[in-house]
Amino acid sequence: MVTGRAALLLILAAATLPLWPSPWLGLAVLAGAVLILSMVDFALAAPLRDVEFTRDGARTVRSGETATVALRVANRSPRVLHADLRDAWVPSAGATPAVHRVVVEPGSAVTVETSLTPTRRGDRPAVRLTLRSYGPLRLAFRQRAGRPETPQWTLRVLPRFDSRRFLPEKTARLRTLEGSTVTRGRGQGTEFDALREYVIGDDVRSIDWRASARRSDVLVRTWRPERDRRVVCVLDTGRTSAVLAGAEPRLDAAIDAALLLAALALRAGDQVDLLAVDTAVRATVSGGRHVLLPRLVNALAPLQPSLVETDFELVVGEVLRRERKRALVVLFTALEPGALGDGLLPVLPRLATRHKILVAAVHDPLLAEAKGDPYLAAATLRTLGERDRVRSALTRHGVEVLDAPVDTFASRVADTYLALKQAGKL
């Protein structure tokens, strides 16, 4: 194909037409000359069949951070490759630069790098690779786009996990609860920790008389909150999770809170499972402690809301099937009468008799911005009234309910977990 440079050359040559005896003759000669030069240039362009590509670089990156993917261009032809290379990704991948200009000597290779700054979670693929090989004069080119041999590459964008900034504070509270400050008295949800010498002020009921007789000293037992509890994070990925809470969907706020809860529970010695459900099971993670958090992050990355009503019968059935022992089930959903009243409440007693349930929901930011408009304020009052009725219905079944704004949602979920653990309700 002919480039714009050939057309520009023809236009410049047309300026000499007044010097020709016949303008039409001059135009024909000049056009023929440019055409011949373009054909020669096209013939000298490096053949595309002798160009090979390989990729290397990052496979994962957190949302908002930058990753680099390298593309190696190898020229197996006997001619110098003068080319423009367009490495196209989906728009949300944030790929720069759009076009790479390369010159590759025969039998050698060069590497170009594309920087990716994705703005959304999920898998971000490279969609098309276009190579345009020019002749030495850049008057004509050969082009190839999206051949089957083009190397495929997908960058998985992980959740930002902004709530990890709360983890040091929550861990310190956990250590106060069960580590450095050990519970002095026995209570529900505690287990034996160690023996120590009696000091004035200790509860005499904690004295271990047998150990004291063996040591000829008064020893008392100390207790700590039980470990090895089970925590199940259930994410509702139905239509209510697609509603925006601030700048992002509710599902993103739930993922952020679930990751903080999982990290904290793992540090507390508890086991964490995860389940994402709407009309089908979208993601599930269970088992191991040491590599569980990376597995959770990787499983949650491609999760997207589905515009369907969540099947809470399926949710309850999956939890009961997977969790034989008593567990804390944290259900991340929305306090909407239609979704919970018709879906969750009829099947809730089956789950509440076996497990401790915490329903965690994110505030709708619009509810706090409705004071100026009387019509919007009236609709807000009605919505809040319906939410209160749903909350009361859940509470009657012994369910803990958390309704918090998006900026403190993850922190409040972690605080509720620590409070339940301290009270021995896990």
Side-chain angles (χ1 to χ4, degrees), residues 8-28:
L8 178 62
L9 181 61
L10 182 59
I11 293 173
L12 293 176
T16 65
L17 288 179
L19 303 178
W20 290 78
S22 171
W24 293 107
L25 176 63
L27 181 62

Side-chain angles (χ1 to χ4, degrees), residues 280-334:
V281 177
R282 303 299 178 185
T284 176
V285 179
S286 60
R289 295 178 180 175
H290 300 293
V291 295
L292 181 62
L293 197 57
R295 288 170 53 204
L296 281 174
V297 172
N298 192 61
L300 292 172
L303 208 59
Q304 299 296 332
S306 301
L307 300 182
V308 296
E309 289 289 349
T310 299
D311 184 355
F312 284 101
E313 179 75 29
L314 174 63
V315 172
V316 171
E318 286 293 324
V319 173
L320 293 177
R321 183 177 66 84
R322 296 167 185 270
E323 304 298 332
R324 301 295 183 181
K325 297 181 179 179
R326 179 174 173 82
L328 171 65
V329 179
V330 184
L331 175 59
F332 295 93
T333 186

Side-chain angles (χ1 to χ4, degrees), residues 103-185:
V103 178
V104 189
E105 297 294 329
S108 63
V110 298
T111 300
V112 296
E113 294 184 343
T114 300
S115 297
L116 304 167
T117 308
T119 56
R120 294 174 54 192
R121 286 185 299 105
D123 293 334
R124 299 290 170 261
V127 295
R128 181 179 292 269
L129 186 62
T130 303
L131 179 66
R132 179 175 290 184
S133 174
Y134 293 93
L137 300 177
R138 298 184 75 85
L139 298 177
F141 62 87
R142 309 168 187 260
Q143 181 167 307
R144 182 179 74 185
R147 288 282 185 88
E149 62 268 20
T150 300
Q152 301 300 315
W153 198 268
T154 299
L155 182 71
R156 173 153 290 188
V157 185
L158 306 177
R160 286 199 304 267
F161 193 13
D162 291 335
S163 62
R164 65 181 180 273
R165 68 183 186 275
F166 298 119
L167 193 55
E169 174 212 343
K170 307 305 178 187
T171 303
R173 288 182 55 191
L174 178 66
R175 294 292 174 260
T176 301
L177 175 65
E178 65 171 6
S180 59
T181 304
V182 182
T183 305
R184 301 307 180 192

Side-chain angles (χ1 to χ4, degrees), residues 22 55 107 114 172 175 186 242 256 302 304 376 401 426:
S22 171
R55 286 193 189 272
T114 300
R175 294 292 174 260
R186 183 177 184 178
D256 195 47
Q304 299 296 332
L376 189 57
V401 180
L426 300 188

